[in-house]
Amino acid sequence: MMDRSATSLSVARAMIEAWRRLDWARVVSTFSEDAVLQIVPLQPHAGRPAIKAHLDQIASGIERLDFTIKHLNAIGHTVYFERSDDFVYQGRAASVAVM
Protein backbone atom coordinates (compact mmCIF):
# COMPACT_ATOMS: atom_id res chain seq x y z
CA MET A 1 0.00 0.00 0.00
CA MET A 2 1.32 3.46 -0.93
CA ASP A 3 1.74 6.08 1.76
CA ARG A 4 0.02 9.46 1.45
CA SER A 5 3.05 11.19 -0.04
CA ALA A 6 3.49 8.53 -2.72
CA THR A 7 -0.23 8.65 -3.52
CA SER A 8 -0.14 12.46 -3.75
CA LEU A 9 2.86 12.33 -6.10
CA SER A 10 1.10 9.74 -8.25
CA VAL A 11 -1.94 12.01 -8.60
CA ALA A 12 0.31 15.01 -9.32
CA ARG A 13 2.13 13.11 -12.08
CA ALA A 14 -1.19 12.04 -13.61
CA MET A 15 -2.34 15.65 -13.53
CA ILE A 16 0.89 16.85 -15.16
CA GLU A 17 0.49 14.35 -17.98
CA ALA A 18 -3.17 15.32 -18.49
CA TRP A 19 -2.25 19.03 -18.73
CA ARG A 20 0.51 18.23 -21.24
CA ARG A 21 -1.95 16.26 -23.39
CA LEU A 22 -4.59 18.99 -23.04
CA ASP A 23 -6.92 16.27 -21.75
CA TRP A 24 -9.29 18.56 -19.86
CA ALA A 25 -11.65 15.84 -18.62
CA ARG A 26 -8.68 14.01 -17.08
CA VAL A 27 -7.28 17.24 -15.62
CA VAL A 28 -10.60 17.95 -13.89
CA SER A 29 -10.87 14.36 -12.63
CA THR A 30 -7.52 14.65 -10.83
CA PHE A 31 -8.84 17.46 -8.61
CA SER A 32 -10.62 16.58 -5.37
CA GLU A 33 -14.22 17.79 -5.02
CA ASP A 34 -13.09 20.60 -2.68
CA ALA A 35 -9.94 21.60 -4.60
CA VAL A 36 -9.05 25.20 -5.44
CA LEU A 37 -7.38 26.12 -8.73
CA GLN A 38 -5.62 29.48 -8.74
CA ILE A 39 -3.95 30.57 -11.93
CA VAL A 40 -2.28 33.79 -10.87
CA PRO A 41 -3.28 36.59 -11.46
CA LEU A 42 -6.82 35.25 -12.05
CA GLN A 43 -9.36 34.66 -9.29
CA PRO A 44 -9.36 31.23 -7.60
CA HIS A 45 -11.90 28.62 -8.65
CA ALA A 46 -13.15 26.45 -5.78
CA GLY A 47 -14.64 23.01 -6.30
CA ARG A 48 -14.49 20.63 -9.22
CA PRO A 49 -17.52 22.19 -11.07
CA ALA A 50 -15.96 25.68 -10.90
CA ILE A 51 -12.59 24.34 -12.03
CA LYS A 52 -14.23 22.57 -14.98
CA ALA A 53 -16.14 25.73 -15.96
CA HIS A 54 -12.95 27.78 -15.87
CA LEU A 55 -10.99 25.25 -17.92
CA ASP A 56 -13.85 25.07 -20.42
CA GLN A 57 -13.48 28.84 -20.90
CA ILE A 58 -9.72 28.86 -21.48
CA ALA A 59 -9.08 25.44 -23.05
CA SER A 60 -9.85 26.36 -26.64
CA GLY A 61 -7.13 29.04 -26.57
CA ILE A 62 -4.40 26.71 -25.31
CA GLU A 63 -2.49 25.30 -28.25
CA ARG A 64 0.45 23.80 -26.38
CA LEU A 65 1.41 23.36 -22.73
CA ASP A 66 4.45 21.83 -21.14
CA PHE A 67 6.07 21.96 -17.74
CA THR A 68 9.76 22.12 -17.01
CA ILE A 69 9.84 20.52 -13.58
CA LYS A 70 12.46 21.82 -11.16
CA HIS A 71 11.20 20.23 -7.95
CA LEU A 72 8.28 17.89 -7.23
CA ASN A 73 7.74 16.50 -3.76
CA ALA A 74 4.94 15.71 -1.35
CA ILE A 75 4.42 15.61 2.38
CA GLY A 76 1.19 13.77 3.02
CA HIS A 77 -1.51 15.27 0.81
CA THR A 78 0.42 18.49 0.16
CA VAL A 79 2.37 18.58 -3.11
CA TYR A 80 5.18 21.06 -3.64
CA PHE A 81 5.72 21.73 -7.30
CA GLU A 82 8.26 24.23 -8.68
CA ARG A 83 8.18 24.48 -12.43
CA SER A 84 8.19 26.64 -15.51
CA ASP A 85 4.99 26.56 -17.58
CA ASP A 86 5.79 26.87 -21.28
CA PHE A 87 2.72 27.37 -23.42
CA VAL A 88 1.10 28.85 -26.47
CA TYR A 89 -2.20 30.59 -25.76
CA GLN A 90 -4.18 32.17 -28.59
CA GLY A 91 -1.08 32.15 -30.78
CA ARG A 92 1.23 33.74 -28.21
CA ALA A 93 4.10 31.80 -26.65
CA ALA A 94 5.01 32.43 -23.02
CA SER A 95 6.92 30.91 -20.14
CA VAL A 96 5.92 31.48 -16.52
CA ALA A 97 7.73 30.43 -13.34
CA VAL A 98 5.34 28.72 -10.91
CA MET A 99 5.56 27.40 -7.34
Side-chain angles (χ1 to χ4, degrees), residues 8-58:
S8 297
L9 284 173
S10 178
V11 171
R13 288 184 179 107
M15 182 182 281
I16 291 164
E17 190 56 32
W19 279 95
R20 284 180 171 152
R21 292 176 187 230
L22 307 180
D23 182 347
W24 305 116
R26 179 72 177 130
V27 169
V28 171
S29 76
T30 61
F31 283 96
S32 65
E33 289 295 332
D34 62 346
V36 176
L37 172 65
Q38 169 108 39
I39 300 174
V40 175
L42 305 175
Q43 70 180 23
H45 301 277
R48 196 180 280 166
I51 291 168
K52 181 185 181 315
H54 176 66
L55 291 177
D56 287 347
Q57 287 180 333
I58 67 169

Side-chain angles (χ1 to χ4, degrees), residues 52-72:
K52 181 185 181 315
H54 176 66
L55 291 177
D56 287 347
Q57 287 180 333
I58 67 169
S60 65
I62 299 174
E63 300 165 34
R64 183 183 63 78
L65 176 61
D66 199 8
F67 300 123
T68 302
I69 299 170
K70 296 179 182 180
H71 301 282
L72 179 62

